[in-house]
Amino acid sequence: MTVAEMVAHVRGGTMSAREVVDGYLMRIDEADASLGAFLEVFAGDARVRADALDARRARGEDLGPLGGVPVAVKDNMAMRGRVASCGSRMLEGMRAAYTATVIERLEAAGAVIIGRTNMDEFACGSSTENSAFGITRHPMDRDRVPGGSSGGSAVAVASGMAPVALGSDTGGSIRQPAALCGIVGFKPTYGHVSRYGLIAMASSLDQIGPLGRSTADVAAIYRVIAGQDVRDATTMSAELSFPEMGPMDIAGLRVGVPKQFFDDALDGEIAACVRRALARMERAGARMVELDVPWLESALAMYYIVMPAEVSSNLNRYDGVTYGHVTPARTLTEQVVATRRDGFGDEVVRRILLGTFVLSSGYVDAYYKRAVAARRALRAQLDEAFGRVDILVGPTSPTVAWPIGEKFDDPITMYLSDIYTVVANLAGAPSLSVPCGMAHALPVGLQIMGRAGDDARVLDVGYWLEQV
Amino acid sequence: MTLSCGSLMEVDISVLAALAHVDVSTKRREKLQEDILAILAYVETLQHLNVPAIGDERASLSVPNLREDELVACTPEERRGVVENFPHMSGDGLLEASAALARDL
């Protein structure tokens, strides 16, 4: 059932919000023990909330555009009074003092938050193997990873435990697990969705976005959560445009195909899936434009300097003094060091050390400042490309879901799984991953990227692809 | 504390760990050293490119014109939530932190 159908059933009284919520809670009971998507299920509160919605409907009140729709939320978004652990021992018992703007907006629109989902610790990872609370498994093959870091949210949706979910995307953490699990994931333009209440990883790259079973479903969530927020100064004041989600003629659409998206890292079967989708677009009248965007070749290198620099800065706040895990020691300094030793996992420590290195005196010009300047050059080259094309299209991930443990001890190989997705974060651009077939009997995702602010077009093209 | 310029092989994990306030065991140090050197070797590609002049780092942000920081009061519920997360609280309801110096020093 789509989000629109669910809302229509609840609004029309052919199904109660309680029936919808109970259905998903039952599915979680059946499936999650072997998947590990949820860290906590809010069964009691979700039922109370659903009953309240049904009572409101009985009184003739409008429930809002998401009335009765269950939503799973990544464990890095604050909900007042609830644990937001970010998949880390550091925040295991920390209860949020306030609620994230996206959660407030979802609830005001009638959504029912049904639980918090597993993730790589502090969103540092591409496989959901780095959570302090256990790994999440792929819904089609329990011996494979679901991608990450929003792996819990992706698996919740792909396995029917939630119709839609929220994730966060710093270098592909919504789109890559969506691609690996065969669902849709959307990273909006930086500044379109408030980050107030999102536990920060890399602030110039982080963006909250939806995962769902269709582009229409993720668009329904995006429509609710997008917009300016006075509590997040980086949100945009400009009026946003939203997708049509209707019949669309793509004749004349200029589709940019950067040659750097079809490099040696790309699996041959995945390349064939993406090429078939491009051929469908061309047959419908879209104009294919082969592009050479040289800075794309260095995007991952830029990302693995800028991101850890921001991670090391943001995670400095975890010292065991005001909240979170604390390991007692003789002095304050010893306590801070012991707390961070016991509270952080290996991948987080690796990124903190790397970030500390690239920001340290003697290296900051050669690494961090150089990466920032290169990021600006990449953006300029993309702006130029968007003068010639309307969208960029390519694969979301160079590989399909891989066996658990295969890349765990090899950070470079793991980081390469983000090679096509980090571009949108560096550029602040909207990017959507939609399913486009199967390779090696596992799902493949196609990535559609637009210029910053062109979220509606990206979603409309994704919708078109689903219809053909 | 600063790191001296030198070859990548000279990256000293224990100095980095001290700067970052993390404690890395001897067992983990070797693997971390190996990983970080591999990552730095990968990102080294940027060193060989003609990168435009370095200017204002904020220009890389999507929203260049940020407002000034303003002090905004929190609600009583938010304040209560923050206080409830204090690891240690004194009898008069204030945050209690460990001593900056050890007693036996």
Side-chain angles (χ1 to χ4, degrees):
Chain A
M1 198 183 336
T2 67
V3 164
E5 287 166 350
M6 210 175 289
V7 170
H9 276 299
V10 173
R11 184 174 287 154
T14 48
M15 190 178 275
S16 68
R18 178 61 182 265
E19 285 174 309
V20 172
V21 166
D22 277 343
Y24 283 102
L25 291 174
M26 195 183 301
R27 175 68 185 146
I28 293 171
D29 275 347
E30 288 167 1
D32 201 40
S34 65
L35 291 168
F38 283 89
L39 291 176
E40 186 180 1
V41 179
F42 309 145
D45 284 355
R47 288 190 174 105
V48 168
R49 165 105 174 123
D51 288 344
L53 287 167
D54 288 330
R56 281 177 52 193
R57 196 198 73 81
R59 291 196 297 271
E61 294 177 28
D62 179 33
L63 302 183
L66 296 176
V69 175
V71 181
V73 175
K74 189 174 180 178
D75 189 35
N76 59 354
M77 294 175 216
M79 292 178 263
R80 190 158 70 85
R82 292 198 181 282
V83 170
S85 77
C86 230
S88 179
R89 293 277 173 223
M90 186 63 87
L91 294 176
E92 191 172 6
M94 203 274 294
R95 290 187 182 273
Y98 61 94
T99 298
T101 297
V102 288
I103 304 296
E104 283 182 353
R105 289 183 178 177
L106 285 174
E107 291 189 328
V112 181
I113 309 300
I114 56 164
R116 54 187 179 94
T117 55
N118 201 15
M119 57 182 284
D120 286 300
E121 182 179 14
F122 285 104
C124 294
S126 308
S127 62
T128 320
E129 293 171 290
N130 290 307
S131 169
F133 309 109
I135 60 174
T136 299
R137 294 171 184 274
H138 194 280
M140 291 170 64
D141 181 345
R142 303 294 196 268
D143 294 326
R144 289 177 187 268
V145 301
S149 64
S150 309
S153 288
V155 172
V157 171
S159 59
M161 296 190 284
V164 278
L166 287 185
S168 64
D169 190 315
T170 304
S173 285
I174 289 173
R175 291 160 287 153
Q176 184 255 25
L180 267 50
C181 292
I183 61 168
V184 179
F186 180 50
K187 185 205 89 72
T189 293
Y190 184 84
H192 273 204
V193 175
S194 169
R195 290 178 293 116
Y196 178 76
L198 172 70
I199 297 173
M201 175 191 171
S203 303
S204 80
L205 302 160
D206 294 342
Q207 187 62 83
I208 293 173
L211 299 97
R213 296 177 81 87
S214 67
T215 304
D217 283 359
V218 302
I221 299 294
Y222 169 66
R223 202 177 269 274
V224 166
I225 63 175
Q228 191 180 18
D229 177 13
V230 293
R231 295 174 295 187
D232 176 357
T234 60
T235 51
M236 293 177 181
S237 56
E239 195 166 319
L240 307 182
S241 59
F242 294 103
E244 300 286 336
M245 293 288 121
M248 181 187 176
D249 183 3
I250 67 160
L253 183 78
R254 298 171 303 167
V255 179
V257 187
K259 71 173 190 181
Q260 287 81 6
F261 282 173
F262 293 85
D263 56 8
D264 292 343
L266 182 61
D267 177 277
E269 285 193 30
I270 293 178
C273 286
V274 175
R275 294 278 184 206
R276 280 196 292 273
L278 288 169
R280 287 207 306 274
M281 297 176 85
E282 192 167 23
R283 281 198 298 275
R287 192 151 59 83
M288 298 296 133
V289 182
E290 297 286 335
L291 292 175
D292 181 9
V293 187
W295 279 107
L296 287 178
E297 289 163 19
S298 309
L300 195 66
M302 294 170 211
Y303 178 79
Y304 273 97
I305 294 173
V306 173
M307 177 274 292
E310 296 188 20
V311 165
S312 70
S313 302
N314 271 322
L315 270 54
N316 255 333
R317 73 192 68 180
Y318 301 107
D319 54 16
V321 175
T322 50
Y323 59 91
H325 172 79
V326 55
T327 300
R330 283 189 323 149
T331 67
L332 188 59
T333 305
E334 288 172 2
Q335 179 178 300
V336 170
V337 171
T339 294
R340 289 162 69 81
R341 176 196 63 209
D342 297 345
F344 290 140
D346 287 352
E347 179 59 27
V348 170
V349 169
R350 187 155 47 214
R351 294 188 192 202
I352 288 173
L353 294 178
L354 189 58
T356 303
F357 176 81
V358 301
L359 289 176
S360 61
S361 172
Y363 290 96
V364 68
D365 286 347
Y367 287 93
Y368 179 70
K369 287 188 179 178
R370 198 171 180 82
V372 168
R375 179 182 186 182
R376 203 178 316 159
L378 168 68
R379 292 174 72 128
Q381 223 165 50
L382 286 171
D383 283 347
E384 194 184 324
F386 279 121
R388 298 168 55 203
V389 300
D390 300 308
I391 54 168
L392 297 180
V393 174
T396 306
S397 166
T399 68
V400 293
W402 57 89
I404 289 169
E406 184 179 276
K407 301 181 183 180
F408 191 71
D409 290 322
D410 182 355
I412 292 288
T413 310
M414 183 73 86
Y415 296 173
L416 283 168
S417 62
D418 300 331
I419 195 164
Y420 308 129
T421 49
V422 297
V423 177
N425 303 80
L426 290 166
S431 181
L432 178 78
S433 179
V434 291
C436 80
M438 304 284 277
H440 312 287
L442 287 162
V444 172
L446 172 129
Q447 182 177 208
I448 305 162
M449 192 176 136
R451 63 167 66 85
D454 220 359
D455 302 53
R457 191 199 307 263
V458 166
L459 288 163
D460 277 330
V461 173
Y463 181 78
W464 182 90
L465 272 166
E466 285 173 353
Q467 308 306 309
V468 294
Chain B
M1 193 182 305
T2 59
L3 291 169
S4 60
C5 281
S7 75
L8 293 178
M9 293 309 288
E10 290 171 15
V11 173
D12 186 335
I13 292 298
S14 44
V15 175
L16 280 181
L19 280 170
H21 290 113
V22 291
D23 183 14
V24 180
S25 66
T26 315
K27 193 176 147 201
R28 285 166 83 196
R29 196 169 300 156
E30 200 175 321
K31 173 76 168 91
L32 276 168
Q33 173 105 11
E34 187 185 307
D35 291 346
I36 287 175
L37 287 175
I39 297 163
L40 289 174
Y42 179 80
V43 303
E44 191 74 3
T45 54
L46 284 184
Q47 307 298 328
H48 309 300
L49 297 172
N50 184 20
V51 175
I54 296 167
D56 181 0
E57 288 75 46
R58 287 181 304 170
S60 70
L61 296 177
S62 297
V63 187
N65 301 315
L66 303 182
R67 63 156 169 75
E68 291 299 311
D69 278 347
E70 297 167 26
L71 187 63
V72 179
C74 65
T75 65
E77 292 77 22
E78 287 169 344
R79 187 180 188 285
R80 193 163 46 246
V82 169
V83 170
E84 282 171 1
N85 277 311
F86 286 174
H88 301 290
M89 197 157 52
S90 66
D92 50 1
L94 297 175
L95 171 68
E96 197 170 79
S98 299
L101 298 172
R103 286 176 197 280
D104 55 350
L105 290 179

